[in-house]
Amino acid sequence: MNVTLSLMPAKTLPKITTISEFPNNPKTLILEQCKTIKDINQIHTHVIKTGLILNPSAVENLLESTALVLRSMDYALAIFNQVQQPQPEAYNILIRGFNLNQNPEKAILLFKQMKENCIEPDKYTFSCILKSCSILHGLQEGKQIQAHTMKSGFGSSGFVQNTLIHMYANCGKIDIARRVFDEMSEREVITWNSMFAGYTTSSCWEEVIKLFQEMLKSDFGFDVVTMISVLTACGRLGNLELGEWLSDYIVENGLTGNLNLITSLIDMYAKCGKIDVARSLFDKLPRRDVVAWSAMISGYSQASRCREALDLFQEMQRENIEPNEITMVSVLSSCAVMGAFEIGKWCHFFVKKKRIKLTVTLGTALMDFYAKCGSVENSLDVFKKMPVKNVLSWTVLIQGLASNGEGRKALEYFSQMRIRNIEPNDVTFIGVLSACSHAGLIDEGREFFVSMNRDYGIDPRIEHYGCMVDIFARGGFIIEAYQFIKNMPMEPNAVIWRTLLASCKVHKNVEMGEESLRQLVKLEPAHSGDYILLSNVYASVGRFEDATKIRSEMRQKGIKKTPGCSSIEIEGGLHEFFAEDSAHPKSVEIYDAVEKMMKRIKSAGYVPNIAEARLDAEEDEKESSISHHSEKLAIAFGLIKTSPGTTIRITKNLRVCSDCHIATKTISKVFNREIVVRDRNRFHHFKDGCCSCNDYW
DNA sequence: GATCGAAGGA
């Protein structure tokens, strides 16, 4: 047979001149040259015309190109259906193709069809079909296949057992996976790697390390895949020692050219707190894919170096690397922490524009971002649009509603969550309890606290006790809160006492305030905020002398206020200010803008009640001469007391609104709509007072 | 042909 391939376009298949070459080296030729269905179609026509359709190897190569390279399962099935007696190899290719195309159900159907047609599966078939079960999380199906492998005599095949480990681990049965591993008489590196992968999917990081040590002891050589698994575990556990050992191994063995390996190394260093080492590795990479960028960005984000995370994201875009949903999760999480509302909104727009898949994780990150920036409506909107939601999404929603002053609505969603059979976890209850606290629902709070253990088997942690103290104290039941602390099964920490102390100011309870500070001094003697809080308790009942005394006591003890860092976002630009920092290029501009705004607000006939704020401001000016403008502005507004980590967001609308005839509306509405103040991780909305912290202005 | 990398909430 010596037929010229006249149907082949010369540019796609330049090397093929005669069909006689085709069966000899079909794989490389077809796999490498076929770029489109049209190419396949041409070869397919020839295979039929020339009778090669009867040649199993030619058909298999054609199927491989169609199902595995071009991933066109419809076309692959069409070819397959023309074959009169398909061999197991042909079935295997189709099964693999269905797995690759995330269609394991069809793979299983094909396997059944194979049995009906009395075609005996081989070890590869079992391996492929176990993978289908693994993707489907079909434990029962997997077990049936395992029984089948035993009967067919393939039970001891390495291929089968490796996938079996993977299948059991993916179905959450890590113990059975380990049993398969332990019972294997001969292990290969892949076997060990399958077990590492199993532990990785189950987040059993310690087990990865233990198994790796076993591997080293048994003098078994490891490979790049092993190192990637172990490095991931080192990152999760903060095991820098082993991580560095592997790092040295990689350098000594000249493996630094492997991008995947170095990406794991970057991730490990970042998670172990060596973010700058991670960065220098990242900078040295000759080529960076989206995973490498994402690893570095998430490294900064998790190290709370959010500014650098956002800067790197910008750089990534300049390099024209397309971010994926995972990149966006880290970027949005950084925006949430920084309160970078405009940047985060842009990210949301970007996600929609690029049709980046709204996964549960991405959706939840978006929700969290909106909630933390005070835009709970947008957070809810994202939640409603999410195709898949999990306990984390519901928790973020409840938490977001609660911290934005919508406690009752948060509890309604908690009921919804229960109706839909989503099992709440310990963190969900923190949201639920803080919702009760914000809504002033003391009895409900008490009931939820009991219920979390009684009905859900969740032991309350110190954070849950803290929420209860907050519920009692905020509701004005200071004594009950104190009794509750005294009856706690664990030692109260500073946060608990601080919660009580903060409420003492609102409810003007000097005695409990003093007791709280006594306890606080034992736990954290140098925490400046606690002294300020007690001083405010005194001031709240008019004992200004005592207030001053506390502050001078603080000075005598040499306790300094933490330098404040604030940020202002104006039209998408984020400006950070530290105490004593007057050098920010935008500071004068911002100050001027807000001055003007103040004038307009005043000329609209509104005089803010800033007496208390002014008192504090003068105190602070004397004590630590805080000079950064953002905090001054906040003080001027009477919105907040100076405290580190404050974000004041001045949106574009605020300026517009002072110009756009909104002056007829009450100024509190303008404030409510336009100004949101974030103090650390708590959001403050100002209606008549702040619904988060009971502060009135 | 079986194994591997980055990810959200308090």
Side-chain angles (χ1 to χ4, degrees), chain A residues 53-72:
Chain A
I53 192 87
L54 299 170
N55 176 337
S57 135
V59 170
E60 282 152 25
N61 287 314
L62 192 56
L63 278 175
E64 229 176 292
S65 306
T66 318
L68 307 180
V69 180
L70 291 178
R71 297 201 185 187
S72 168

Side-chain angles (χ1 to χ4, degrees), chain A residues 509-524:
Chain A
N509 189 325
V510 175
E511 198 189 330
M512 279 293 116
E514 286 170 336
E515 167 65 8
S516 306
L517 187 69
R518 266 198 297 277
Q519 299 293 340
L520 274 164
V521 170
K522 284 189 218 161
L523 294 164
E524 283 181 19

Side-chain angles (χ1 to χ4, degrees), chain A residues 308-323:
Chain A
E308 282 147 298
L310 296 186
D311 286 348
L312 201 64
F313 176 61
Q314 267 192 350
E315 210 179 310
M316 176 180 181
Q317 287 185 298
R318 276 197 297 272
E319 306 244 322
N320 285 324
I321 307 289
E322 282 284 311

Side-chain angles (χ1 to χ4, degrees), chain A residues 2 24 33 78 94 131 134 176 208 211 237 285 347 426 444 447 484 513 598 625-626 676 693:
Chain A
N2 207 355
N24 298 333
Q33 306 288 335
L94 281 191
K131 186 157 187 178
S134 171
I176 309 184
V208 173
L211 193 66
L237 293 170
L285 283 176
C347 287
D426 52 340
E444 286 84 345
E447 172 55 25
F484 189 84
M598 280 297 289
S625 49
I626 286 179
V676 215
C693 69

